[in-house]
Amino acid sequence: MAEEGFPVTTLVLPVTPGGDSAAVEQAARLVRAGRLVAFPTETVYGLGADATSTDAVERIFAAKQRPYSDPLIVHLAAAAALLSVAQEAPPLAWALAERFWPGPLTLVLRRAEGIPPVVAAGGPTVGVRVPAHAVARELIARAGVPIAAPSANRFMHTSPTTAAHVLADLDGRVDCVLDAGPCSVGVESTVLDLTRDPPRILRPGGVTFEALRALVPNVEAPTRSAPASDGEAPAILPAPGQLERHYAPRARVVVFDAQGPAALAAIAREAERYLARGERVGALMLDEEATALAGAGVHIQTLGPGDDLAEVSRRLYAALRALDELAPAVILSHTFGTSGLGLALWDRLRRAAGGSLRGVAAEDNGQP
Ligand code: TXA
Ligand code: MG
């Protein structure tokens, strides 16, 4: 028997930013009726519903099979509507909005009464952002309500950066997908907790730590470099809904925390172990690295040049999904440093790998 409310027929509506608005108006009507609309943002596709309606928001959790403990981000068409979602906004929130909105920055503030608890895992706060994608803002403006939206994937799975990715996870579970082509940022928004002092990054994302620090000099990075005095400290501070395994394809993922020749040598050695057993291997590689494994029988997805982490971010999830479709025994990758977008990539690759990264052996570092 089908789950209650599923399947529905998923309408796919092509849209172009600034183009004919009929499709966006149709989607906005569905939002107003309490239905689910997947829509493009600059980061990833979102699974949207009327943020002011408990029933509508509950449909999001059902469609994604997501636990209620994982809070949703509320999306606005413009910063001017901030106080419809947040009870109060400190001057710093307005300064950040002025500098980074519309864009991939989510601010965690105290939740306003008009936003039901189900949006925020029952807690007193709410995540809010104004997306940069024109179609997203037009949808919200036409709906006339703030739109709650997680990434439009099944719970814990790799986020979608195209409408086809949305359908692969949610066809028959959402009422409509607005298809505006691939997302331009490719990794999710940075989540910044402004309810504490100093503010803390809960999830690194499209707005870099360095960019935030320019405006918020005391902002806390999500990583902790020194272990706590009472023993082993987690590398990442806990944030609601941020599971150790997340953003993950079905295949096993192994990520070496290194770059350059050391990382390539570790990947080649690991690939060889699987290939020797006759197993299929996938690898994510920079353009300039692809030849290192050429002829080895490894399925390679390139991510762009190493000096362009914006391109690497844009392509990461599509590449993971493409490799996953081959049902490999393992997908191998390495990290891209922790500067700039490298930090968001580090975080997503680590979680895709189930929460831990591999070190590289001393001989791979050229050390005795
Ligand atoms: O780029 C993005 O942020 C995309 C697009 C669609 O906007 N959305 C997205 O949503 O990635 P989602 O639900 O997949 O991830 C949101 C995460 C939650 O898992 C949680 O870690 C954090 O944001 N979050 C949301 N509300 C929060 C709150 N009130 N307090 C702390 N963290 C919160
Ligand atoms: Mg998500």
Side-chain angles (χ1 to χ4, degrees):
M1 206 183 82
E3 278 173 78
E4 197 195 343
F6 303 113
V8 295
T9 301
T10 301
L11 260 177
V12 180
L13 302 174
V15 280
T16 41
D20 176 22
S21 302
V24 184
E25 180 54 35
Q26 193 176 349
R29 270 202 306 273
L30 285 166
V31 171
R32 284 197 297 273
R35 308 303 306 183
L36 298 182
V37 172
F39 63 98
T41 81
E42 74 281 22
T43 58
V44 300
Y45 275 71
L47 175 55
D50 177 352
T52 66
S53 160
T54 298
D55 284 354
V57 171
E58 282 178 348
R59 285 207 174 92
I60 294 177
F61 287 90
K64 280 196 66 149
Q65 299 177 307
R66 171 167 165 141
Y68 284 111
S69 55
D70 192 352
L72 304 180
I73 294 169
V74 176
H75 298 70
L76 298 174
L82 183 56
L83 293 177
S84 68
V85 171
Q87 207 176 82
E88 62 205 6
L92 183 57
W94 293 111
L96 287 161
E98 172 74 27
R99 169 73 182 79
F100 294 108
W101 284 354
L105 177 67
T106 294
L107 301 178
V108 173
L109 295 163
R110 295 195 69 78
R111 178 164 54 85
E113 265 174 25
I115 299 299
V118 64
V119 170
T125 64
V126 65
V128 54
R129 83 177 187 102
V130 177
H133 202 296
V135 169
R137 287 205 310 279
E138 189 184 344
L139 174 69
I140 302 161
R142 285 177 180 272
V145 287
I147 292 185
S151 50
N153 49 272
R154 295 277 186 128
F155 182 58
M156 296 207 308
H157 194 211
T158 309
S159 299
T161 53
T162 67
H165 296 163
V166 175
L167 292 173
D169 278 26
L170 297 172
D171 194 12
R173 303 179 75 87
V174 303
D175 296 276
C176 164
V177 183
L178 288 173
D179 180 357
C183 302
S184 61
V185 175
V187 293
E188 299 83 350
S189 63
T190 302
V191 179
L192 180 68
D193 185 355
L194 287 183
T195 66
R196 66 190 301 283
D197 192 22
R200 177 190 285 164
I201 297 174
L202 299 177
R203 176 177 74 178
V207 168
T208 65
F209 173 63
E210 293 85 346
L212 280 177
R213 203 172 41 187
L215 206 74
V216 191
N218 63 344
V219 65
E220 282 183 9
T223 51
R224 200 188 245 175
S225 47
S229 50
D230 57 346
E232 281 292 285
I236 292 275
L237 295 161
Q242 286 289 90
L243 303 181
E244 284 302 284
R245 181 177 167 78
H246 208 145
Y247 311 103
R250 287 181 300 270
R252 180 178 152 76
V253 177
V254 171
V255 179
F256 293 95
D257 195 10
Q259 291 85 49
L264 285 183
I267 287 175
R269 183 162 326 117
E270 189 73 6
E272 188 45 47
R273 289 190 18 197
Y274 285 87
L275 293 170
R277 297 197 293 258
E279 290 175 325
R280 192 173 294 171
V281 177
L284 300 175
M285 313 235 83
L286 294 169
D287 289 352
E288 59 269 32
E289 295 172 341
T291 54
L293 288 179
V298 174
H299 296 272
I300 291 171
Q301 280 284 325
T302 55
L303 297 171
D307 63 0
D308 188 355
L309 293 187
E311 177 73 5
V312 172
S313 302
R314 194 154 39 238
R315 286 162 64 174
L316 175 69
Y317 290 146
L320 272 173
R321 281 176 179 262
L323 289 177
D324 207 25
E325 279 183 8
L326 306 172
V330 69
I331 296 174
L332 303 171
S333 183
H334 62 75
T335 55
F336 301 91
T338 52
S339 308
L341 286 169
L343 187 62
L345 291 165
W346 184 92
D347 175 73
R348 302 308 188 275
L349 284 165
R350 191 180 66 87
R351 292 182 202 275
S356 59
L357 296 167
R358 291 267 187 98
V360 296
E363 63 263 32
D364 292 332
N365 282 321
Q367 288 163 10

